[in-house]
Amino acid sequence: MDNTILTLVAFVPLAGALLLLLFPRNDNAIRWGALAISLLTFVLSLHLPFHFDNSKVGFQFSVDHSWIGSPNIRYHLGVDGISLWLVLLTTFLVPLSVLISWHSVHDRVKEFFALLLVLETAMLGVFLSLDMFLFYVFWEATLIPMALLIGIWGHERRVYAAVKFFLYTMVASVFMLAAIIWLYVHAGSFDYATIRTKLATGEIALGGNAALWLFLGFFIAFAVKVPIFPLHTWLPDAHVEAPTAGSVLLAGVLLKMGTYGLLRFNVALFPDEARRHAPWIVALAIIGIIYGALVAMVQPNLKKLIAYSSVSHLGFCVLGIFTFTAMGTDGAVYQMLNHGVSTGALFMLAGMLYERRHTYEISEFGGLATPMPIYATFFLLITLSSIGLPLLNGFVGEFLVLNGAFQAKALFGVLAATGVIWSACYMLWMYQRVFYGQVTVPVNNTLPDANLRERIALWPTVVFALIMGVASSLWMNAIDPAVRAAIPSAAHGMEAAQKRASASRQGQPAALGSEKKSFEVSRR
């Protein structure tokens, strides 16, 4: 089972999508079929955490077969403590996305759910691939179904948003492709572990500015996907125009592909370049935290407010990664999961409101807690988890990231901490305007409360927000060893790391030798 589980998890959704296309055009049968396939994938993925050995460093459940002889491309999959939970996050959110699309999608139902399942396979492939060519194929494969979901089932400006999303991410990906090809030419392999070993031991010579260009090639692709300020302009349009399921998966999973790539490729493959460029990347992350929060505060549109909150929250992830502290990076990975659960749920809640009123304008609401008390309770719990209330998931991630930021430089921690305050301001102010006070629009008095299907979709997010807030060790026991392996000198912090980077620029072999030794120890 261990040798085939990753293949099953990755490709059951794709097989299910092909099966759905063979269904007669019976919308209810297609919906139930999509739900069953997505639940089957989630159940299969539960095999991973139950059989994952936290004491082992490195990739587990690996499957490695030759795919194409020349060039040397392999079907190589595996998970470590970082990708493990991102895979679970993906399989967790897709069934919920199917549930919330039950009645909101009326046209071309078969194609919609088939694309949703194809997108799931592509997203899972990104987190599972250990061959860079395979990674790039899955990375690009996520673009088409998501662009189609936005462009066909989105709102008024859907075509503009879909084209903008596609162009931004496609153009940025070309830089990563160039970097991957360069590495293949010099390593003779697309295998991630092989390339990382050759880079760490100096078998691949990074003369001149090669390391800089390779680092930037990967960084541009991932920075656009996160997105890091000022490359974020595609995100609000895509979120506002996307159907609810598209927004959930875009915020919940696709943005994490960017932060995952920064950690897996930029930091792990090019540690010295990452440390050298950390100051300006951290500056952009902090600007994103504050800018995203301030812009969210003035948004009159509920969905756009949540979109800009993503820019702010993902800034915490980037900040944690580039502090080069174990605690900060642990927090960054945990914050990826938190954001997927909390912001995914917020988009689900916003979509439920849109189904009732066909608007996201905050001014159209007010006093909804009276006609919709259960819906208002779910919204409040998820809002509190998003702003990082203690005992809920958001608190753990932000606490660890800020702790790592203070270890790196106190100023980073102070500036980033203001984002927590701004987050509470715009989220609670939004909640007050939507749910408290008198009902000013008469039609809101008749809005139905959350129905059984909607409650079934929301309960898992609330339960996980609570469990992740009080039992973070369930996740951290796997995350921490993988983080320490990805960043061999994580425990030493960014200041020490910058000294090492400075030493490497001055050609002091002792610093690089220590790096190689640390890397080899972490691999063992």
Side-chain angles (χ1 to χ4, degrees):
M1 185 69 173
D2 284 358
N3 295 328
T4 57
I5 186 62
L6 295 186
T7 299
L8 286 172
V9 170
F11 289 101
V12 161
L14 180 62
L18 296 175
L19 188 63
L20 282 187
L21 294 178
L22 301 177
F23 273 37
R25 286 202 173 274
N26 182 324
D27 290 351
N28 268 337
I30 291 168
R31 292 183 182 109
W32 281 108
L35 181 62
I37 293 162
S38 60
L39 284 173
L40 174 62
T41 308
F42 177 64
V43 171
L44 287 170
S45 70
L46 290 178
H47 176 90
L48 301 177
F50 282 111
H51 294 83
F52 190 84
D53 189 346
N54 293 332
S55 64
K56 291 183 179 177
V57 175
F59 295 98
Q60 300 180 33
F61 309 106
S62 293
V63 52
D64 186 7
H65 302 293
S66 177
W67 178 18
I68 300 173
S70 181
N72 182 17
I73 300 172
R74 304 189 68 78
Y75 176 72
H76 190 183
L77 306 179
V79 291
D80 64 357
I82 299 171
S83 54
L84 167 70
W85 297 116
L86 291 170
V87 168
L88 265 293
L89 177 67
T90 306
T91 59
F92 171 73
L93 287 177
V94 171
L96 305 183
S97 300
V98 173
L99 273 176
I100 58 165
S101 305
W102 207 264
H103 292 312
S104 61
V105 176
H106 309 288
D107 299 327
R108 288 171 283 195
V109 174
K110 177 191 292 190
E111 290 80 0
F112 177 86
F113 286 108
L115 281 173
L116 212 59
L117 294 174
V118 171
L119 178 63
E120 183 176 15
T121 286
M123 293 186 296
L124 290 168
V126 167
F127 297 129
L128 293 174
S129 296
L130 295 179
D131 181 282
M132 287 194 180
F133 184 87
L134 191 62
F135 171 84
Y136 186 78
V137 169
F138 282 122
W139 178 275
E140 292 296 283
T142 61
L143 297 184
I144 298 170
M146 178 53 76
L148 290 174
L149 287 172
I150 298 172
I152 297 175
W153 289 274
H155 304 299
E156 292 177 4
R157 298 171 66 242
R158 57 185 179 274
V159 175
Y160 166 77
V163 171
K164 192 173 181 180
F165 160 77
F166 191 88
L167 287 179
Y168 262 71
T169 46
M170 181 72 184
V171 170
S173 301
V174 172
F175 294 93
M176 178 170 64
L177 177 62
I180 290 174
I181 292 173
W182 191 97
L183 287 171
Y184 173 76
V185 168
H186 289 78
S189 171
F190 285 110
D191 187 74
Y192 173 81
T194 301
I195 290 173
R196 190 182 175 201
T197 301
K198 289 188 176 183
L199 284 170
T201 56
E203 285 187 56
I204 298 178
L206 299 177
N209 291 320
L212 170 65
W213 291 115
L214 288 170
F215 177 83
L216 291 178
F218 283 104
F219 180 80
I220 291 171
F222 301 138
V224 169
K225 185 69 84 176
V226 172
I228 294 175
F229 174 89
L231 303 171
H232 65 283
T233 57
W234 63 269
L235 183 66
D237 290 319
H239 269 313
V240 171
E241 301 303 326
T244 301
S247 292
V248 171
L249 295 179
L250 184 60
V253 183
L254 261 73
L255 305 189
K256 312 306 176 300
M257 288 163 46
T259 46
Y260 170 77
L262 288 174
L263 180 56
R264 178 73 79 207
F265 293 90
N266 281 94
V267 172
L269 293 183
F270 311 102
D272 288 335
E273 285 300 316
R275 290 161 190 147
R276 194 169 297 155
H277 297 283
W280 63 264
I281 295 173
V282 166
L284 291 180
I286 293 174
I287 291 172
I289 291 171
I290 299 172
Y291 167 83
L294 293 178
V295 177
M297 192 173 298
V298 298
Q299 291 305 314
N301 183 296
L302 178 60
K303 215 174 179 188
K304 196 169 273 190
L305 183 152
I306 302 170
Y308 275 105
S309 77
S310 291
V311 176
S312 183
H313 288 156
L314 269 295
F316 279 99
C317 298
V318 177
L319 172 63
I321 291 170
F322 283 90
T323 60
F324 295 100
T325 61
M327 194 169 288
T329 313
D330 283 347
V333 176
Y334 207 69
Q335 190 64 4
M336 293 182 209
L337 307 176
N338 295 335
H339 182 263
V341 173
S342 300
T343 305
L346 282 175
F347 277 118
M348 289 163 57
L349 287 158
M352 293 170 188
L353 209 51
Y354 184 84
E355 282 186 45
R356 290 161 170 77
R357 285 294 318 278
H358 301 289
T359 180
Y360 290 114
E361 294 301 311
I362 295 174
S363 60
E364 287 292 316
F365 304 110
L368 293 188
T370 300
M372 306 172 68
I374 295 174
Y375 174 85
T377 304
F378 276 117
F379 210 120
L380 179 62
L381 291 171
I382 295 300
T383 296
L384 294 177
S385 81
S386 180
I387 65 178
L389 188 78
L391 299 182
L392 293 173
N393 56 343
F395 175 77
V396 180
E398 289 180 351
F399 176 83
L400 292 173
V401 169
L402 289 176
N403 205 319
F406 273 105
Q407 288 179 35
K409 187 173 281 189
L411 181 62
F412 295 162
V414 171
L415 292 173
T418 63
V420 179
I421 299 170
W422 294 123
S423 169
C425 291
Y426 67 75
M427 289 299 293
L428 292 177
W429 187 34
M430 176 271 291
Y431 189 84
Q432 182 251 323
R433 286 180 289 167
V434 173
F435 291 97
Y436 290 152
Q438 299 296 319
V439 177
T440 55
V441 180
V443 70
N444 289 342
N445 277 316
T446 61
L447 293 182
D449 206 348
N451 58 37
L452 179 61
R453 173 183 56 82
E454 292 168 335
R455 294 179 204 180
I456 291 173
L458 290 171
W459 265 115
T461 61
V462 173
V463 169
F464 268 92
L466 180 60
I467 295 175
M468 292 178 74
V470 298
S472 57
S473 59
L474 295 175
W475 286 262
M476 282 301 177
N477 288 341
I479 291 172
D480 188 60
V483 162
R484 291 178 185 275
I487 308 176
S489 59
H492 304 304
M494 191 168 76
E495 186 177 347
Q498 285 177 331
K499 289 180 181 176
R500 294 159 56 79
S502 175
S504 74
R505 284 200 301 275
Q506 295 167 12
Q508 296 178 12
L512 292 175
S514 173
E515 173 72 33
K516 293 171 189 174
K517 183 179 179 181
S518 175
F519 173 73
E520 292 299 333
V521 169
S522 72
R523 279 176 58 80
R524 286 198 292 271

